[in-house]
Amino acid sequence: MPPPRTTTKPEVLRGLVDRVVFHNEDNGYCILKIVPEGRHDVVSLIGKAPRVVAGEEFEAKGTWEPNRDFGPQFKADALKLRRPDSLAGIERYLGSGLIEGIGPKYAKRMVEKFGPKIFDIIENESKKLEEVEGVGKKRRTEIRESWIKQKSIHGIMLFLHQHGISSSRALRIYKTYGEEAQAVLKENPYRLAQDIRGVGFKTADDIAYQLGVAEDAPERIKAGILHVLETAAGNGHCCFPESEAVKKAVELLGVETLIAPQIEALIAADQIERVSDAGTPARNEGVEAGTAGKSDHTTFLYLPHLRAAEQSIAASVKKLTAAPAAYPPMDEEAALGWVMKKTGKELAESQQRAVREALHQRLLIITGGPGVGKTTILRSILLILQSKQVKLVLAAPTGRAAKRLAESTGMEAKTLHRLLEYQGDGRWGRHRGKPLSGDLFVVDEASMIDAPLMAQFLAALPDGAHLLIVGDADQLPSVGPGMVLHDLIASEKVPSVKLTEIFRQAASSRIITSAHAINRGQMPDLKTSRTSDFFFLKAAEPEEIKHTLVELAHTRLAAKYGLDPIRDIQVLTPMNRNLLGTISLNQSLQLALNPPNELKFEIERFGVTFRVGDKVIQTQNNYDKEVFNGDIGHIITIDADPVKVHIRYDADRIVAYEPGELDELQLAYALSIHKSQGSEFPCVIIPVSTQHYVLLERSLIYTAITRAKKLCVLVGDERALSLAVGRQESRKRWTGLRGMLG
């Protein structure tokens, strides 16, 4: 049969989807290879669909268009897809990976066994599937559950896609609302922004517009106000000046006179709180000197859970500081002599003062930068108290930080979430009514702890507990709202020891001396030396910086220092977007360090190609799998039939992921600096460019440099580094904790 003629005349085309060349889940755009009715050759179709599966039957309205490289293509203005009727189509459809537990091999066996009745068999008589070779009870159950889920979600996905929601988010919406999804959205589409991760106010607002919600509708105004406060919380603020919130709400909503009445309605409904005392919330600037003073703003708005978190922290801290330590009696001088002999480390006078202080205080903060001996002091305190049968409990905010704490102390350490027995959906096994058990609680990397998590931890401490908080107050603040460590120190109501003396061995490291210089607001010495562990390589343009960075990771550093490019070298960058963001850098580094070949299985999901050998990072807590936000692993195998990705975390723990769960993972050759907190890496490479202007500031660069254990290389523009050293943007957060402690 001759090839189709290209014509601008619209026509209707029907047939079978042979394979999916490309499908963008965010906007539905797809390139398909199809077999039109009455033909045997495969041609291309371009269109939009919420999802598409090989083997489906299609009906498309559109026109044929010429293409120099691929021949005539059918451009569909409208595209409908449905489950196939032909045996070949059914086999292709079932074997496409859509249904968990079925790959091409099992699809062929099932169609041979049951023919066109297979869909009905799966849904209503799934026990019969066990008659197929290789299908047992476990696989049969997996197949039926996946089929029911896919059938239920199909109608919902069509509805959502018509209103601009991507397929991946449609799945989350279905998981949240189930069969009620369409009814919920029609009643109040703004619930999406409240309930679904990854769906913001603007997406919900677009859907509301398409559903006919008026611009001045009360639910729209309320949702916009809440969005402003939630955005502020996402930027680290616990509260926000009311005048600023109103201004941002007007910009967002395009209405003005209606904002104030809806703020009052939200307050009446206990959805937000107003604080009138202008002296309570303060913007964190000049923290070192405790100079953050009273604000010119008169009223502040809080989301209730953040107000409650700060109040709870203040109450817990006041209770702890009101009582002296209650450790068993001991001879302090003898204990210090004993612990120095046991560890073989002589404690300097400043370190001995810190140990004594810890033995006297019910609550103590120990803070300081790298090389000042925090670990030595902590280990000494713990050994002394352990010898007195004091029950010690150690924790840190992330898995990697907890692992480092355990390695440095020789004692068990848990993540705060695991310690508090987090059960998901805001439920905790340990709380005020069911407290933890222990005498001294140590929490490390405390700068990473946001207000809600600190409130939960402090509330779960038992009566009579002691608390030692350890951290570097000059690092980036928590990703979540608050600046708890800064506020506790700046309040001057909590006993604190700030360590500043850099000890001799650490002073020989230019990583450490450079970090301290930056922390003082000074440019580090950028002169290079063969024996140095800190380098600055000049590169002006983003393209040059990227090229140098990839070359360093791929060949130069591995050759000179004997580093494993994937396991030992970590690229840290300020942001996710742009040429020097994590997304772009990960693509380039993956291509250089783990290129594709026919021996390496790979799978593309959610815009990311995952390949055997890749370094990946978990981006959210998954309590069922026991992997947590920030955990780094390596893909060791990818099963093809059915598709499963197996990732090794730590030395011996292997976790399996279904294709639909891969949105929890990202490539980890390059990480954001925020994601690197609490971790150390043998070698760190940091791009420094004016392309990152918005995010460049002192705490960011300081945090990145202090992640390096043996080698740190900055690549970029000296002006950009100077700009970063001179700015302290991360400390400009509105919080109320200091005022509450006063």
Side-chain angles (χ1 to χ4, degrees):
M1 179 174 270
R5 288 177 300 152
T6 57
T7 174
T8 56
K9 184 182 176 183
E11 60 179 285
V12 176
L13 201 65
R14 297 180 181 87
L16 202 68
V17 177
D18 183 68
R19 64 189 173 94
V20 180
V21 177
F22 175 80
H23 184 235
N24 184 324
E25 293 196 333
D26 288 328
N27 58 23
Y29 177 82
C30 56
I31 302 172
L32 312 177
K33 291 295 184 182
I34 58 166
V35 182
E37 278 182 354
R39 300 167 59 99
H40 299 291
D41 57 327
V42 176
V43 294
S44 296
L45 180 146
I46 297 170
K48 281 192 171 185
R51 67 171 186 173
V52 58
V53 180
E56 283 187 306
E57 293 178 0
F58 73 88
E59 179 180 291
K61 292 179 183 177
T63 55
W64 288 100
E65 294 186 350
N67 184 289
R68 189 175 60 188
D69 298 320
F70 303 107
Q73 296 180 328
F74 192 80
K75 188 171 183 181
D77 298 318
L79 177 61
K80 293 180 181 176
L81 297 148
R82 66 184 181 87
R83 225 162 54 200
D85 292 328
S86 69
L87 293 183
I90 291 170
E91 184 180 323
R92 180 69 59 87
Y93 182 82
L94 286 177
S96 66
L98 175 75
I99 310 300
E100 291 169 14
I102 305 179
K105 180 173 67 178
Y106 285 103
K108 186 176 181 64
R109 291 177 188 173
M110 289 176 183
V111 172
E112 286 175 351
K113 177 79 176 173
F114 299 112
K117 293 182 180 178
I118 181 61
F119 296 135
D120 188 59
I121 295 287
I122 292 172
E123 191 164 333
N124 301 311
E125 300 178 81
S126 65
K127 185 79 171 76
K128 288 186 176 180
L129 293 177
E130 293 183 32
E131 298 172 18
V132 175
E133 182 190 347
V135 178
K137 183 180 178 182
K138 183 180 176 184
R139 186 182 291 269
R140 184 254 299 178
T141 304
E142 182 182 31
I143 290 168
R144 186 176 185 279
E145 287 177 354
S146 179
W147 172 261
I148 295 298
K149 181 176 77 174
Q150 293 295 341
K151 185 184 176 190
S152 299
I153 199 176
H154 191 69
I156 292 167
M157 287 176 79
L158 284 171
F159 170 80
L160 293 170
H161 196 263
Q162 288 163 359
H163 294 91
I165 294 283
S166 71
S167 301
S168 54
R169 285 181 183 157
L171 183 58
R172 292 197 191 106
I173 291 167
Y174 173 75
K175 284 179 178 177
T176 304
Y177 303 128
E179 302 295 333
E180 303 298 312
Q182 289 188 49
V184 166
L185 296 187
K186 286 175 180 175
E187 180 190 346
N188 181 8
Y190 293 101
R191 278 188 59 182
L192 277 178
Q194 302 288 319
D195 300 341
I196 311 294
R197 180 178 61 86
V199 177
F201 171 82
K202 289 183 178 175
T203 301
D205 201 34
D206 287 343
I207 294 171
Y209 174 76
Q210 293 182 52
L211 293 174
V213 176
E215 188 182 57
D216 60 354
E219 63 263 36
R220 179 173 185 266
I221 309 301
K222 288 176 186 172
I225 295 164
L226 289 172
H227 173 72
V228 167
L229 294 181
E230 283 155 3
T231 300
N235 291 327
H237 303 290
C238 284
C239 55
F240 209 58
E242 184 168 358
S243 58
E244 294 291 318
V246 169
K247 192 186 302 179
K248 289 186 178 295
V250 170
E251 290 171 7
L252 177 72
L253 298 165
V255 297
E256 191 163 351
T257 56
L258 302 169
I259 305 290
Q262 296 309 326
I263 287 177
E264 299 303 331
L266 286 166
I267 291 170
D270 296 326
Q271 288 183 270
I272 60 176
E273 292 183 28
R274 176 186 283 133
V275 176
S276 297
D277 178 6
T280 300
R283 187 153 158 155
N284 279 279
E285 297 176 83
V287 169
E288 296 88 344
T291 58
K294 295 199 173 189
S295 168
D296 293 333
H297 296 277
T298 55
T299 58
F300 289 79
L301 298 179
Y302 268 96
L303 293 170
H305 75 282
L306 295 179
R307 174 80 168 156
E310 289 198 322
Q311 288 174 321
S312 177
I313 293 169
S316 297
V317 166
K318 286 177 180 177
K319 183 179 176 183
L320 281 165
T321 55
Y327 293 124
M330 69 182 82
D331 181 331
E332 282 181 19
E333 296 309 313
L336 279 165
W338 171 81
V339 82
M340 286 189 279
K341 187 175 180 183
K342 185 172 178 65
T343 61
K345 290 192 174 182
E346 189 73 22
L347 294 176
E349 184 54 40
S350 61
Q351 294 177 307
Q352 291 187 37
R353 281 199 303 272
V355 174
R356 288 192 188 93
E357 194 71 10
L359 300 176
H360 291 168
Q361 300 291 350
R362 178 81 60 168
L363 166 60
L364 180 68
I365 296 171
I366 296 178
T367 183
V372 296
K374 291 196 301 291
T375 300
T376 302
I377 292 166
L378 177 58
R379 191 153 183 265
S380 300
I381 294 165
L382 296 178
L383 284 171
I384 290 170
L385 293 175
Q386 190 179 46
S387 73
K388 297 293 182 181
Q389 278 71 57
V390 172
K391 184 179 179 184
L392 307 171
V393 180
L394 279 61
T398 67
R400 285 176 291 164
K403 187 180 177 186
R404 281 181 56 206
L405 179 60
E407 288 169 351
S408 64
T409 60
M411 301 176 189
E412 183 189 18
K414 295 180 178 179
T415 65
L416 284 168
H417 281 85
R418 194 182 292 276
L419 179 68
L420 296 168
E421 299 171 15
Y422 186 62
Q423 296 158 6
D425 298 324
R427 294 175 294 114
W428 303 82
R430 295 289 178 170
H431 43 74
R432 206 178 299 278
K434 188 184 177 185
L436 297 161
S437 174
D439 300 318
L440 170 63
F441 292 81
V442 177
V443 60
D444 196 12
E445 295 287 357
S447 64
M448 298 175 66
I449 306 174
D450 62 27
L453 181 57
M454 184 63 90
Q456 186 68 36
F457 170 60
L458 294 177
L461 294 179
D463 287 338
H466 299 72
L467 175 60
L468 183 58
I469 297 174
V470 183
D472 184 347
D474 296 314
Q475 279 191 31
L476 282 171
S478 56
V479 174
M483 291 188 73
V484 178
L485 182 61
H486 287 86
D487 282 351
L488 293 178
I489 294 169
S491 73
E492 300 182 352
K493 302 294 182 183
V494 181
S496 303
V497 173
K498 181 163 186 177
L499 303 166
T500 56
E501 183 182 353
I502 303 174
F503 290 97
R504 189 168 49 199
Q505 186 177 354
S508 65
S509 164
R510 284 191 56 210
I511 292 174
I512 289 174
T513 56
S514 298
H516 281 274
I518 288 169
N519 200 31
R520 293 191 299 269
Q522 300 168 354
M523 279 287 283
D525 181 0
L526 301 182
K527 292 195 296 289
T528 57
S529 155
R530 285 179 178 274
T531 58
S532 179
D533 57 2
F534 177 86
F535 296 92
F536 187 94
L537 302 184
K538 291 182 181 180
E541 298 302 320
E543 292 81 4
E544 185 188 358
I545 295 171
K546 184 177 182 179
H547 175 77
T548 303
L549 186 150
V550 173
E551 191 180 36
L552 284 166
H554 185 213
T555 53
R556 287 167 61 179
L557 295 179
K560 183 172 181 180
Y561 296 96
L563 297 167
D564 182 304
I566 294 179
R567 294 186 181 276
D568 297 336
I569 297 174
Q570 185 61 58
V571 174
L572 300 180
T573 184
M575 63 195 340
N576 293 318
R577 302 288 171 186
N578 289 340
L579 190 70
L580 296 174
T582 56
I583 297 169
S584 171
L585 290 176
N586 270 316
Q587 290 171 347
S588 298
L589 288 163
Q590 181 191 45
L591 189 62
L593 302 179
N594 190 28
N597 66 50
E598 64 273 11
L599 300 177
K600 287 182 181 173
F601 284 111
E602 61 180 53
I603 178 175
E604 194 274 331
R605 283 293 188 279
F606 304 102
V608 179
T609 298
F610 297 99
R611 190 173 295 141
V612 170
D614 277 337
K615 178 161 64 171
V616 294
I617 183 169
Q618 177 79 14
T619 61
Q620 57 185 287
N621 292 334
N622 187 320
Y623 296 92
D624 294 330
K625 296 184 186 297
E626 293 196 354
V627 287
F628 301 97
N629 189 354
D631 285 355
I632 291 177
H634 296 82
I635 299 176
I636 53 170
T637 56
I638 299 177
D639 296 342
D641 189 13
V643 175
K644 274 193 174 67
V645 178
H646 299 270
I647 297 172
R648 175 179 282 123
Y649 291 99
D650 303 323
D652 54 358
R653 199 159 60 88
I654 297 172
V655 179
Y657 290 76
E658 304 286 352
E661 297 172 320
L662 294 177
D663 63 337
E664 296 182 10
L665 296 172
Q666 288 292 335
L667 296 175
Y669 300 102
L671 298 178
S672 71
I673 295 169
H674 275 95
K675 283 283 186 194
S676 74
Q677 283 181 271
S679 302
E680 281 186 343
F681 308 97
C683 172
V684 164
I685 309 173
I686 308 161
V688 185
S689 168
T690 51
Q691 190 178 77
H692 298 143
Y693 176 83
V694 176
L695 293 173
L696 284 178
E697 60 92 37
R698 190 182 305 170
S699 297
L700 191 86
I701 297 296
Y702 173 77
T703 300
I705 290 171
T706 55
R707 300 308 90 207
K709 281 198 288 189
K710 297 177 181 176
L711 185 65
C712 180
V713 184
L714 275 61
V715 182
D717 186 342
E718 204 170 315
R719 291 172 306 158
L721 180 60
S722 177
L723 176 71
V725 171
R727 296 169 78 202
Q728 292 233 57
E729 293 299 307
S730 70
R731 299 197 178 167
K732 295 178 180 177
R733 290 187 171 190
W734 291 107
T735 66
L737 180 57
R738 258 181 293 170
M740 295 174 190
L741 289 167

